[in-house]
Amino acid sequence: MYTFSNKLKTFSLALIVIGVLGVAYGFIDSNKSLEDVKTMLTEEGSSHGKALTEATQNGLELHAEQASENQTEDHAALEAHHDEEHAKHVQHQLANRPWAALYVAAFFFMMIGVGVLVFYAIQIAAQAGWSVVLFRVMEGISAYVLPGTLIVLGIAVASHYIGHDNLFIWMNPDITNPESDYYDKLVDNKSSYLNLPWFIIRGLIFIAGWGLYQYFSRKLSIAQDTAEDNSNFKKSFRFAAGFLVFFIFTESVMSWDWIMSLDPHWFSTLFGWYVFSSMFVSGVTVIALITIYLKSRGYLEAVNDSHLHDISKYLFAFSIFWTYLWFSQFMLIWYSNIPEEVTYFASRFNDYQLPFIGMVVLNFVFPFLMLINSDYKRIPWLIVISGIVVLIGHYLDVFVMVMPATVGDQWFIGIPEISSVLLFAGLFIFVVFTALTKAPLLVKRHPLKKESENFHY
Amino acid sequence: METSKVIHAIYTDDDVLMSAVKRLKAEKHHIEEIYTPFPVHGLDKAMGLAPTRLAITSFLYGTVGLIVSVVMMNYMMIEDWPMDIGGKPSFSFMENSPAFIPIIFELTVFFAAHLMVITFYLRSRMWPFKQAENPDPRTTDDHFLMEIPVHGNENELQDLLVETGAVEINIIDKEEDKEH
């Protein structure tokens, strides 16, 4: 049996407390009045807006000769109106920032939990012989599925009721009201799908399905420990197969709902798989990291180099799979350059160049070069380094999916973002390691246990 | 002409062969060669063969393919004739790079795969019309053959091999400078 060390428990609680304080600070700090935003913008304008004003002045001089005084006044009034609009826009983006930061971090840790649950289901459905000694680690991590998904859906819904639509603009009732200035025909056309009640129901369906599978697979796995026959094993095989079918549908819908609908004007077909690949690779990475941690504490005697080797092969292969989907999505849109699609990448390329390109280095180039060597795949500290880099990369991946739609060019990785990560990291560690203490770390009486213990690559 | 003698010990089971190899290694006998009809897992480790470096060559060949494709497309599409084809930006390599990635990928794989296979053929001396070096045709079907050089210790060796379960032991005179 694993005992949750006091040190780790204190550490996770400290993360939660620091995270909560930082998130609260983020919410207070983002609550700016229109006047504050205007002064901020003029201060910014004096530094980097100079070139722009010069350029407009040159243009104005050309027009000046033809322009009557009357027209110039009009122009000034128009400009003032434009400034007002711009300030409002920026104010809104600033108000979105703590929400988006919280959402990105919540989604990222949810991805890990769900990714591990799917990996676990695949191992069971494929009757993999090598991974049985890691099942309890996977079960422990997937204990985060239920709280994680509920938190994500909760933040999404709260952003409407508490935050006045800080995340999903389609949740605003004005957007589908033809009388309103804010009316958006494109979003209105999608309103039979994108409406709040249906969004919540869909979310609850995914969460119920995933949560139920998590609950029953864990229950069957523990029941198998003391069983007389293999009926639990057979049942868990059927459950896993059924769950995988359910999952691949709901995951796709989840990615449209929880991520893609942040940009309700944009759509992409392979988005669901892209989000899935990100989930899967982060899940595999966390399995590797927690396995290495538990093994270093002497809890996983049955795990050997070959198990680590296999899990790093998954990490390596799915990093490449993620890159393949990332590039396929990017290249198809870049190549055809259809305006209604390309705005998605244009905004990311203009305002998010470093994270957008940087995450390809972190998620592909780095793990590719680190883990291509067969011997390196079994060196724990190399796996830990690559794993941490990959996790940072996939955090950035979610960041680049969510932020441009919510905060636009006002993004920064500062206190709200970092403390949101700390908050959910603490929660994640607490939930996962508490779940790990609930059952022995090695399954008993599993038909493939012996094979897994003697696994050698 | 000087001759050297070798012993051909024939086994019919790969497990017996494996334990025989371990026994011979433990008694510090040199094993010249083993002929098997299929790969026997762990045989190379038991014989103490050095691990292959084929994967390393493959990685290097892949790097060559990467460089070839980048240089080729940079020259053709950007430097030599930077034409406007459907509005694609051919001002610099980076600007148009997404369009080049599929070719870069394919050529990297192409070089890595083909050059590695050719390296394998060269290193293991395989080519069409090559004279087969098989000492006994049964080793391609269901027999395993171990070849051990003899240095005046044939009787001792013979006893040892019988002990390890060899079903047949032949002493062969081999011409040292025989053409391969």
Side-chain angles (χ1 to χ4, degrees):
Chain A
M1 285 296 260
Y2 170 69
T3 42
F4 196 170
S5 75
N6 270 328
K7 242 185 187 169
L8 195 63
K9 196 178 257 174
T10 326
F11 176 67
S12 69
L13 293 174
L15 284 180
I16 295 176
V17 171
I18 296 169
V20 167
L21 291 176
V23 168
Y25 169 80
F27 274 101
I28 295 163
D29 190 47
S30 70
N31 206 354
K32 287 197 163 63
S33 71
L34 201 57
E35 295 309 309
D36 289 343
V37 176
K38 277 181 187 163
T39 39
M40 189 196 92
L41 284 174
T42 40
E43 272 168 21
E44 264 179 25
S46 61
S47 57
H48 75 70
K50 229 172 197 171
L52 204 91
T53 17
E54 270 169 25
T56 31
Q57 267 169 359
N58 286 342
L60 280 177
E61 275 163 26
L62 282 174
H63 287 288
E65 289 169 26
Q66 300 145 344
S68 70
E69 273 181 22
N70 208 356
Q71 275 171 317
T72 348
E73 268 167 30
D74 272 359
H75 187 78
L78 211 77
E79 210 160 61
H81 178 70
H82 177 77
D83 279 352
E84 181 83 14
E85 284 287 292
H86 181 59
K88 269 190 187 159
H89 181 64
V90 172
Q91 184 194 21
H92 189 65
Q93 287 182 330
L94 290 175
N96 287 348
R97 194 177 147 198
W99 282 98
L102 203 62
Y103 193 68
V104 170
F107 193 88
F108 173 69
F109 283 97
M110 179 216 86
M111 279 202 332
I112 295 171
V114 177
V116 171
L117 185 66
V118 179
F119 188 75
Y120 177 64
I122 290 174
Q123 299 301 312
I124 292 175
Q127 304 205 354
W130 66 276
S131 54
V132 175
V133 295
L134 300 174
F135 272 5
R136 284 291 144 81
V137 177
M138 298 184 206
E139 286 164 17
I141 302 169
S142 44
Y144 189 73
V145 167
L146 194 61
T149 45
L150 283 173
I151 288 168
V152 172
L153 185 66
I155 295 173
V157 174
S159 78
H160 171 70
Y161 288 111
I162 303 169
H164 306 288
D165 310 306
N166 279 118
L167 289 175
F168 299 87
I169 52 163
W170 57 263
M171 284 184 183
N172 189 333
D174 285 345
I175 205 163
T176 53
N177 174 10
E179 308 296 310
S180 162
D181 285 346
Y182 202 53
Y183 180 67
D184 187 324
K185 190 145 194 282
L186 288 173
V187 177
D188 193 20
N189 286 339
K190 296 181 184 181
S191 61
S192 57
Y193 181 80
L194 287 181
N195 60 72
L196 199 57
W198 186 205
F199 175 85
I200 296 172
I201 293 169
R202 281 197 306 268
L204 290 176
I205 292 172
F206 323 143
I207 294 173
W210 305 349
L212 281 174
Y213 174 69
Q214 192 268 325
Y215 175 77
F216 281 111
S217 62
R218 169 80 164 174
K219 207 176 154 187
L220 287 171
S221 170
I222 287 172
Q224 179 66 28
D225 278 0
T226 51
E228 300 286 303
D229 56 6
N230 289 336
S231 62
N232 295 303
F233 168 74
K234 287 178 189 158
K235 240 189 240 167
S236 85
F237 170 77
R238 282 190 215 113
F239 277 33
F243 166 72
L244 287 171
V245 175
F246 175 79
F247 177 78
I248 202 63
F249 283 105
T250 47
E251 191 276 335
S252 229
V253 180
M254 180 279 284
S255 72
W256 308 334
D257 277 8
W258 294 357
I259 298 281
M260 201 156 78
S261 81
L262 290 159
D263 292 280
H265 283 186
W266 182 78
F267 42 84
S268 165
T269 333
L270 62 70
F271 197 74
W273 309 322
Y274 172 66
V275 173
F276 169 72
S277 67
S278 207
M279 270 183 172
F280 202 72
V281 77
S282 337
V284 168
T285 309
V286 172
I287 297 174
L289 294 181
I290 292 186
T291 305
I292 290 170
Y293 170 78
L294 289 175
K295 186 153 174 62
S296 74
R297 290 284 175 279
Y299 286 107
L300 293 171
E301 273 164 31
V303 174
N304 59 37
D305 283 1
S306 297
H307 294 108
L308 279 186
H309 191 144
D310 259 31
I311 201 103
S312 3
K313 271 191 277 187
Y314 268 102
L315 170 54
F316 176 74
F318 278 88
S319 292
I320 296 170
F321 179 65
W322 174 87
T323 316
Y324 166 63
L325 292 178
W326 175 86
F327 181 70
S328 301
Q329 177 164 276
F330 172 69
M331 197 261 251
L332 281 181
I333 291 176
W334 172 86
Y335 217 123
S336 58
N337 204 16
I338 298 170
E340 69 213 49
E341 286 179 357
V342 89
T343 47
Y344 183 83
F345 284 114
S347 64
R348 276 153 185 79
F349 220 83
N350 294 334
D351 301 330
Y352 290 78
Q353 203 154 28
L354 183 66
F356 185 71
I357 304 293
M359 74 182 177
V360 183
V361 177
L362 300 181
N363 288 341
F364 172 62
V365 181
F366 189 80
F368 181 81
L369 294 176
M370 286 288 262
L371 295 177
I372 195 166
N373 188 321
S374 203
D375 297 332
Y376 290 0
K377 285 196 190 83
R378 34 181 79 209
I379 302 175
W381 64 267
L382 264 169
I383 304 173
V384 170
I385 290 176
S386 323
I388 289 170
V389 168
V390 166
L391 286 181
I392 294 171
H394 283 282
Y395 171 78
L396 281 181
D397 184 19
V398 185
F399 188 84
V400 172
M401 283 195 274
V402 171
M403 287 295 181
T406 48
V407 301
D409 58 358
Q410 299 298 319
W411 71 276
F412 189 69
I413 297 189
I415 290 173
E417 286 78 10
I418 292 169
S419 44
S420 304
V421 171
L422 295 183
L423 166 62
F424 288 109
L427 192 67
F428 182 82
I429 293 172
F430 188 80
V431 170
V432 169
F433 283 86
T434 308
L436 285 172
T437 60
K438 297 276 167 65
L441 284 182
L442 186 59
V443 293
K444 274 180 231 139
R445 260 209 111 261
H446 191 285
L448 299 167
K449 182 188 169 202
K450 190 111 192 129
E451 180 182 344
S452 181
E453 280 175 333
N454 296 322
F455 174 66
H456 174 76
Y457 168 73
Chain B
M1 192 162 282
E2 205 188 356
T3 58
S4 77
K5 282 182 182 167
V6 293
I7 291 185
H8 281 175
I10 295 180
Y11 296 85
T12 49
D13 188 286
D14 49 340
D15 288 334
V16 178
L17 175 76
M18 279 294 282
S19 56
V21 170
K22 281 174 192 154
R23 180 82 193 276
L24 258 78
K25 276 280 151 192
E27 312 232 334
K28 304 255 186 289
H29 287 289
H30 173 70
I31 300 170
E32 185 67 35
E33 190 69 86
I34 295 179
Y35 297 88
T36 65
F38 53 77
V40 177
H41 273 286
L43 189 59
D44 51 340
K45 275 219 180 87
M47 287 172 74
L49 298 181
T52 171
R53 287 167 295 182
L54 211 51
I56 299 169
T57 65
S58 178
F59 184 82
L60 296 175
Y61 296 145
T63 320
V64 172
L66 181 88
I67 294 166
V68 166
S69 54
V70 169
V71 170
M72 177 181 79
M73 278 180 295
N74 185 48
Y75 175 71
M76 295 195 301
M77 303 302 288
I78 309 295
E79 283 173 8
D80 190 36
W81 202 300
M83 209 164 31
D84 181 344
I85 303 164
K88 282 280 158 287
S90 48
F91 308 108
S92 72
F93 187 82
M94 279 320 287
E95 270 176 301
N96 210 358
S97 58
F100 302 149
I101 297 283
I103 297 160
I104 293 176
F105 170 76
E106 293 293 350
L107 279 183
T108 306
V109 174
F110 179 87
F111 273 63
H114 287 82
L115 292 180
M116 176 179 73
V117 167
I118 293 168
T119 308
F120 169 71
Y121 286 157
L122 291 176
R123 283 294 287 149
S124 42
R125 306 178 155 275
M126 285 190 345
W127 51 81
F129 312 113
K130 147 125 184 167
Q131 200 71 41
E133 289 170 357
N134 202 335
D136 190 324
R138 288 175 298 169
T139 60
T140 63
D141 184 13
D142 58 352
H143 283 61
F144 303 81
L145 188 150
M146 194 196 292
E147 187 176 291
I148 305 128
V150 182
H151 307 288
N153 52 351
E154 358 188 330
N155 292 336
E156 181 205 336
L157 251 178
Q158 230 162 340
D159 292 347
L160 181 61
L161 289 168
V162 170
E163 240 177 83
T164 60
V167 293
E168 195 181 314
I169 296 169
N170 303 318
I171 299 179
I172 311 275
D173 276 347
K174 224 181 182 182
E175 281 173 40
E176 193 118 70
D177 53 352
K178 186 178 142 190
E179 276 177 48
H180 285 288

